[in-house]
Amino acid sequence: FQSFQNVGKAKNFLFLSKKIEPSSVLETAPLFDGLKKELAWNKFSGPTFTESYCWPPVAGGYDVIAISHEGKDPLLYIPPVLTLLQLESDYQTLPNTSGVSLILCPGWKKAQLVFDLLKTYEKGCRHLYPMLIILGQKKKAASQVKIQGCEVIVTTPCNLLRLLDHNPGLLCRLCHLVLDEMEVLFSDTPVQVFTILDCYKKVIAQAQGILPHQIIAVGTQWNKHITPLIEEFMNDPHIVITVTEEAAIFGNVQQVVQPCMNSNRTTELLKILDFTQRNLQKVLVFTDSITEVEMIHKTLKSNSVVSLKKHKESKCNAECVLERWRKMHSSGTPAVLVLTDDCLQSLGITDATCVIHFSFPSPGVLGQRLQSMRDNFCTGVKDSAVDQECTKAKSVILLTENSSCHAPGILHYLKHAEAEIPEELYDLTARVLESEEDQKFSRPLCASLKTFGICRNRTECPDRHEINLSIDTAQNIADEMIENPERVTILPFLIVHATNYFGRIVKKEKDQYTILAKEMNDYFKVPGHRIPVKTLEKSVFCGLHEGAIYHRVQVVETPTKDEENVCKVTIEFIDEGRTSQVNSDQLLQLPAKFQSLPPQAVEIVVCRVKPIDNEVEWNPKVTDHINHRIKGKLHHAKVVHTLGKTVWVDPMVGVTSLSPLKMWINEYNIRSEILSMGLGTDNPEHIGEIQKLCRQIPVLDHAQSLEHFTKEDTAGPEESPSPQDTSIQENSADSCNSSVFLDVFFVDSVVQTNEAEDSTVDQQKCCHPHIKWFQDNVTVTLKVQILRAADSKCEFSREKVVFSAYSEGRLYVADLELYQSVIAEKSTCVIKDTEAVILLVKEKKGEWCNLLKNKNVHVSFDFEHWEESEDERPFTVG
């Protein structure tokens, strides 16, 4: 059974596998009375056209497949499912109704939306108690989930499988399974979805007593996995499709793309018609211009092809054309009608067997044209074994060099229709997408690309995915802002999400912004200096008093003033990166001397971590935790890449200053913090993707930068600005030289004593290998990075270890004076293919604050190994 409905003035396409009496009025809809009242209370304007056909079979307990432009709206299924749950008699054989309904969503964000809707409408229902389950990968998380009394579970496929690992019997009471946005579920997590379906199938087979069992799948597009869903897991489902082109896929319409030159379209058309005429087809030739209709009709006539034509300027009206069309076919003459798209509705043709797209269609126009064949859509489930027998309708698209405009949309449709696609369409689409990317060249660089190294949907993303030198390098971070990329101090102020922040890079000595902030505060303390801005213009710099601090801000937007000549102004804190709205009378004139220092705000991206389960956004739990942890607090970081005013860091560690001891203690590593929550996972390709993106930009030479830092800088404590007070106390030279800088991941130190410098001079003819180290309470492990070491020697003493070896013709020597004592006779050295592993046994058990007495640029802490021991207490290095 299939149907085509008229509703009001607009025609709505409707494909039904079975007859359904629609419920187009809320008052008569098959819903629970309390739920109707709640829907009305929340100003529900439906039911919509699709809802009017979905609600009755869902409320009747039938399996349902629904494909619609509204397929993302949970209200397609929530009201009738809640109505079913009010029927206590249906679940009498169950000991309890916990977990009787399960809604699978394609991500945490959609799951949250569905859960919020359930909470909204549970007021009109009995004992609903919905539960949102987002577990993450922590093993203990599943054991803490209790679903007693919960009738509706909302989760994602990956989260449900993690829960099933801990509680295999979870689905034993499941009666109603909903697949929300099924095409996304089947596209992103097909294995997980079918695993869950298999579990549910076993539940049904083992069910005792009479229980309702129902699968509801809603979405916006057909997907190849829907066929096995229907055949293997559903019981004679009601299929509701309100999108013509999607119904054409289900109806097994054959899609053919015929490449040709634009000048040869008529020749190609004649070839196609020669075939169709031999098979007595009803053919419609669509084009988008009257001129082409006349041209095609004339060409067909000259080639002895009997045809009709129809466009707005035709003398023959729609009824006349339609009558002649029917007579041609009934008399055994092939029926060919050439027409423009705007004539189809007036003709009302639904029984064509072949549609030829002489002009290349958009996806929307394609759907309108396919409606003319709906009587010939197959009503059964698509089966490759009988495809040829079932195919009654054919759609032929002429692809030319001028078809670029809608090529991406048509390619996307043909892909999920599983049609045969010529290379010409792929090539044309690639050129179109490249052109569209060029049109985005003035847009901001894609945030997902920066944050994760990838954008999942470039065609839909409004932002740029290539480097624009004029934008991306227009505000390069000044060299003096990053003195040493191996160690910078960062103060984040705005947390966009778990791995993306805006803040300021703080210099160790004579931080220019700190000096400026003190001068600004001293200046504005004088009442006569606090002069309100008279004329507000976009991009003007102003002063703003917030709390105890005066900030530099820039006007971003100026709305119309009200009667009192005061308005809300959108401003940006140029030294912090956040935006806000303030009253215009709060803005103060900013003297030019305070505008000379460039804006200090930078964008910070923490690398090598991304959300689990292929999610595209961070769960708010992670962002909230990181926001609470890091906002306004000092952090140490290693810069791995820079672009304009964006810095990518790996790692970034929160630190606390022990002022009396002039030491820093590491509290946490942000990446480890995220991983420990179970909602983040490793993203090893991130940095490589960023470097690939920035191949036009010279990559920062860390070796040169570090060499410069080693020769010219001196060690000292980094001044600690308070988030409430931006001033930094400058230390004297003596205090700088005597302080200890505790750090767990940077070079062990970049300052060498005179003794160490003398030792280095003695070793100028040899090379120093790079060494990474880590420890436990009993031992210290050094990994000497050296390829195929030969003639290696390792001499141990109580306070010293000397390693030497040849590699590829060069001598490598490491003469290391240890920070604390070791047991020489128990220490060992093992040579491997790519490294030498030195194991030092501590004389006294416990943590070392540092490895060496004399600090060495070639020695660094093995932070990766430290991350694996997240349960250990914070570790410090001096």
Side-chain angles (χ1 to χ4, degrees):
F1 176 84
Q2 35 184 324
S3 174
F4 181 74
Q5 300 287 333
N6 280 333
V7 178
K9 295 181 180 179
K11 282 195 171 183
N12 292 280
F13 177 84
L14 176 66
F15 182 96
L16 300 175
S17 62
K18 297 180 180 182
K19 188 174 182 179
I20 298 173
E21 288 298 327
S23 298
S24 55
V25 180
L26 182 60
E27 288 74 13
T28 59
L31 303 180
F32 186 67
D33 287 340
L35 184 56
K36 290 180 185 178
K37 291 178 182 178
E38 200 62 38
L39 285 164
W41 176 261
N42 284 279
K43 298 181 180 180
F44 175 70
S45 59
T48 63
F49 178 72
T50 308
E51 287 166 352
S52 70
Y53 282 91
C54 283
W55 286 1
V58 173
Y62 298 103
D63 288 352
V64 175
I65 294 277
I67 298 176
S68 167
H69 289 307
E70 306 162 24
K72 293 183 179 181
D73 187 355
L75 291 180
L76 279 178
Y77 61 83
I78 284 180
V81 168
L82 296 188
T83 297
L84 284 172
L85 294 177
Q86 304 309 301
L87 304 175
E88 293 181 323
S89 59
D90 286 354
Y91 312 102
Q92 284 181 349
T93 58
L94 289 173
N96 62 72
T97 55
S98 297
V100 76
S101 297
L102 171 65
I103 301 175
L104 288 180
C105 299
W108 69 261
K109 199 168 188 179
K110 184 60 180 289
Q112 184 68 57
L113 171 65
V114 172
F115 176 73
D116 291 342
L117 284 171
L118 289 170
K119 294 294 287 183
T120 298
Y121 294 114
E122 72 172 337
K123 300 168 188 175
C125 303
R126 170 196 55 81
H127 309 310
L128 185 60
Y129 307 123
M131 176 180 281
L132 174 64
I133 299 178
I134 303 295
L135 289 178
Q137 296 176 325
K138 293 179 73 173
K139 293 180 180 179
K140 294 181 180 179
S143 63
Q144 297 169 351
V145 175
K146 308 295 180 186
I147 62 168
Q148 282 137 1
C150 161
E151 291 194 355
V152 185
I153 296 172
V154 185
T155 187
T156 68
C158 294
N159 279 289
L160 180 64
L161 290 178
R162 284 192 279 268
L163 193 57
L164 287 174
D165 283 343
H166 174 74
N167 184 4
L170 177 67
L171 301 183
C172 65
R173 292 182 296 274
L174 181 60
C175 295
H176 310 283
L177 173 62
V178 180
L179 305 181
D180 187 292
E181 293 190 51
M182 59 178 166
E183 74 279 7
V184 182
L185 289 173
F186 282 131
S187 175
D188 294 349
T189 53
V191 175
Q192 292 87 340
V193 172
F194 278 112
T195 300
I196 293 164
L197 286 168
D198 284 330
C199 291
Y200 184 46
K201 191 174 182 178
K202 292 176 184 176
V203 167
I204 295 174
Q206 297 169 3
Q208 297 180 355
I210 301 174
L211 283 172
H213 287 105
Q214 179 184 41
I215 297 178
I216 304 157
V218 299
T220 60
Q221 292 180 353
W222 182 264
N223 183 282
K224 64 181 180 181
H225 295 299
I226 297 176
T227 299
L229 170 67
I230 294 172
E231 291 179 336
E232 299 176 30
F233 302 100
M234 299 183 104
N235 181 22
D236 194 18
H238 283 69
I239 300 173
V240 180
I241 305 177
T242 61
V243 184
T244 314
E245 54 268 34
E246 303 304 322
I249 300 175
F250 175 76
N252 205 23
V253 174
Q254 183 183 3
Q255 297 287 349
V256 178
V257 181
Q258 186 60 52
C260 63
M261 296 299 294
N262 192 62
S263 57
N264 292 335
R265 280 188 299 166
T266 51
T267 304
E268 203 64 45
L269 176 63
L270 289 170
K271 291 179 184 178
I272 297 167
L273 289 175
D274 181 55
F275 171 79
T276 58
Q277 286 190 312
R278 292 199 302 268
N279 291 273
L280 197 63
Q281 304 259 354
K282 293 181 181 179
V283 182
L284 295 180
V285 181
F286 282 98
T287 186
D288 54 11
S289 75
I290 296 172
T291 305
E292 285 190 340
V293 170
E294 294 291 345
M295 181 269 294
I296 294 168
H297 182 66
K298 185 177 179 180
T299 302
L300 295 179
K301 187 176 180 181
S302 65
N303 284 271
S304 303
V305 178
V306 180
S307 66
L308 301 173
K309 65 178 179 179
K310 182 69 179 93
H311 53 73
K312 281 191 173 181
E313 298 178 8
S314 299
K315 294 179 181 179
C316 191
N317 60 31
E319 290 78 9
C320 174
V321 172
L322 195 56
E323 184 179 352
R324 292 172 63 189
W325 159 270
R326 287 170 179 164
K327 283 183 178 178
M328 287 172 66
H329 188 265
S330 60
S331 64
T333 305
V336 179
L337 172 59
V338 186
L339 71 162
T340 51
D341 295 303
D342 52 15
C343 295
L344 180 59
Q345 187 170 336
S346 62
L347 289 168
I349 295 173
T350 61
D351 61 346
T353 58
C354 180
V355 165
I356 301 173
H357 309 272
F358 192 81
S359 63
F360 197 79
S362 66
V365 170
L366 176 69
Q368 293 170 15
R369 293 175 178 178
L370 293 177
Q371 281 192 31
S372 63
M373 298 190 292
R374 64 181 176 273
D375 290 351
N376 291 305
F377 288 1
C378 296
T379 55
V381 178
K382 186 176 179 180
D383 186 344
S384 58
V386 294
D387 273 357
Q388 290 302 111
E389 296 178 14
C390 187
T391 301
K392 299 178 183 177
K394 186 176 185 179
S395 167
V396 183
I397 301 174
L398 296 183
L399 176 69
T400 75
E401 69 275 16
N402 298 333
S403 304
S404 58
C405 184
H406 302 297
I410 294 298
L411 176 62
H412 175 72
Y413 172 72
L414 294 174
K415 276 183 176 180
H416 80 268
E418 297 185 271
E420 188 173 334
I421 302 171
E423 283 299 321
E424 290 86 345
L425 183 55
Y426 283 109
D427 293 341
L428 193 60
T429 299
R431 291 197 295 270
V432 172
L433 295 179
E434 186 177 348
S435 174
E436 289 179 354
E437 193 66 37
D438 291 341
Q439 293 172 14
K440 301 176 186 177
F441 213 49
S442 60
R443 293 281 304 164
L445 189 61
C446 172
S448 178
L449 195 60
K450 287 195 287 187
T451 308
F452 304 123
I454 187 173
C455 177
R456 300 272 181 77
N457 195 352
R458 294 195 175 203
T459 55
E460 298 295 327
C461 179
D463 291 331
R464 175 169 48 88
H465 302 89
E466 295 178 354
I467 296 298
N468 182 337
L469 294 174
S470 62
I471 295 176
D472 296 324
T473 61
Q475 291 184 310
N476 264 330
I477 299 171
D479 291 338
E480 61 269 16
M481 200 178 277
I482 300 180
E483 297 171 305
N484 172 27
E486 292 288 326
R487 186 181 71 191
V488 296
T489 301
I490 292 175
L491 197 56
F493 291 106
L494 171 67
I495 312 305
V496 180
H497 57 67
T499 54
N500 185 209
Y501 332 118
F502 283 87
R504 191 160 56 82
I505 293 176
V506 181
K507 288 185 61 178
K508 293 198 300 60
E509 299 175 3
K510 295 183 180 179
D511 182 74
Q512 290 180 308
Y513 177 76
T514 303
I515 297 169
L516 175 72
K518 185 177 185 307
E519 291 175 354
M520 280 177 57
N521 278 286
D522 291 343
Y523 175 84
F524 283 118
K525 280 180 183 177
V526 180
H529 291 165
R530 297 194 288 269
I531 306 169
V533 176
K534 294 181 180 179
T535 305
L536 278 175
E537 295 179 358
K538 190 174 180 180
S539 300
V540 71
F541 291 99
C542 308
L544 176 68
H545 189 207
E546 187 183 67
I549 303 169
Y550 285 90
H551 296 273
R552 299 191 303 169
V553 300
Q554 186 175 26
V555 175
V556 177
E557 187 179 342
T558 56
T560 308
K561 295 181 180 179
D562 59 19
E563 296 177 359
E564 298 178 358
N565 217 29
V566 175
C567 61
K568 286 287 185 183
V569 181
T570 303
I571 51 101
E572 179 183 358
F573 291 76
I574 63 172
D575 301 307
E576 296 184 5
R578 58 190 172 103
T579 58
S580 182
Q581 275 200 336
V582 297
N583 290 330
S584 56
D585 58 357
Q586 292 179 258
L587 298 177
L588 307 174
Q589 292 182 18
L590 188 68
K593 65 180 180 178
F594 297 139
Q595 299 182 30
S596 58
L597 183 68
Q600 297 294 291
V602 296
E603 182 181 19
I604 303 132
V605 178
V606 172
C607 296
R608 292 192 308 114
V609 63
K610 62 183 178 180
I612 60 170
D613 302 338
N614 238 11
E615 295 274 10
V616 295
E617 295 183 54
W618 284 109
N619 189 296
K621 292 180 183 177
V622 187
T623 298
D624 291 345
H625 175 74
I626 294 300
N627 181 66
H628 175 75
R629 201 87 162 96
I630 76 171
K631 187 175 180 180
K633 299 176 183 177
L634 277 179
H635 293 75
H636 291 158
K638 175 181 177 180
V639 176
V640 295
H641 206 84
T642 64
L643 178 66
K645 299 209 79 172
T646 302
V647 294
W648 284 265
V649 296
D650 182 29
M652 179 170 166
V653 172
V655 293
T656 298
S657 172
L658 299 181
S659 299
L661 300 176
K662 296 172 183 173
M663 302 170 77
W664 293 93
I665 293 179
N666 298 280
E667 292 187 7
Y668 55 85
N669 170 285
I670 292 178
R671 181 173 177 273
S672 297
E673 198 79 4
I674 294 171
L675 293 173
S676 69
M677 293 184 71
L679 293 169
T681 189
D682 188 33
N683 184 13
E685 297 85 14
H686 187 184
I687 297 173
E689 289 298 322
I690 296 302
Q691 291 173 340
K692 189 189 301 180
L693 171 72
C694 301
R695 59 185 177 274
Q696 307 102 308
I697 309 297
V699 179
L700 185 64
D701 189 338
H702 298 301
Q704 290 181 3
S705 178
L706 190 59
E707 181 183 356
H708 172 79
F709 183 76
T710 305
K711 290 179 179 178
E712 299 183 8
D713 211 345
T714 57
E718 301 198 22
E719 293 81 8
S720 174
S722 166
Q724 289 77 31
D725 183 358
T726 56
S727 63
I728 298 178
Q729 299 296 326
E730 293 186 27
N731 295 334
S732 65
D734 291 339
S735 66
C736 286
N737 291 333
S738 63
S739 66
V740 179
F741 181 25
L742 300 187
D743 202 349
V744 300
F745 56 86
F746 305 114
V747 291
D748 194 82
S749 177
V750 291
V751 179
Q752 300 178 346
T753 62
N754 291 334
E755 180 184 349
E757 288 173 354
D758 293 341
S759 176
T760 303
V761 171
D762 293 337
Q763 297 179 10
Q764 282 180 349
K765 294 182 181 180
C766 57
C767 304
H768 198 301
H770 184 65
I771 300 172
K772 289 189 174 184
W773 72 282
F774 57 89
Q775 66 172 324
D776 56 32
N777 282 330
V778 179
T779 63
V780 178
T781 302
L782 283 68
K783 291 188 175 182
V784 184
Q785 298 179 8
I786 184 169
L787 287 172
R788 294 176 291 278
D791 297 332
S792 61
K793 294 180 181 178
C794 193
E795 299 176 358
F796 300 100
S797 62
R798 189 167 177 265
E799 294 181 347
K800 193 173 185 179
V801 57
V802 179
F803 173 84
S804 65
Y806 284 91
S807 175
E808 298 179 344
R810 303 181 71 181
L811 175 62
Y812 288 84
V813 176
D815 189 345
L816 308 174
E817 188 173 358
L818 301 174
Y819 188 76
Q820 293 191 33
S821 301
V822 297
I823 303 174
E825 55 271 20
K826 291 186 178 181
S827 299
T828 60
C829 177
V830 177
I831 304 299
K832 298 185 177 181
D833 188 48
T834 59
E835 64 183 6
V837 180
I838 299 173
L839 184 70
L840 304 176
V841 179
K842 297 177 180 178
E843 190 174 82
K844 294 181 180 179
K845 293 182 180 180
E847 301 284 1
W848 285 11
C849 290
N850 197 4
L851 175 66
L852 307 176
K853 286 183 179 178
N854 300 322
K855 307 194 177 185
N856 190 325
V857 69
H858 303 288
V859 180
S860 62
F861 190 83
D862 190 345
F863 198 74
E864 290 300 319
H865 188 278
W866 181 78
E867 284 183 339
E868 294 171 5
S869 305
E870 290 170 7
D871 294 333
E872 296 180 5
R873 67 180 179 87
F875 179 68
T876 60
V877 178

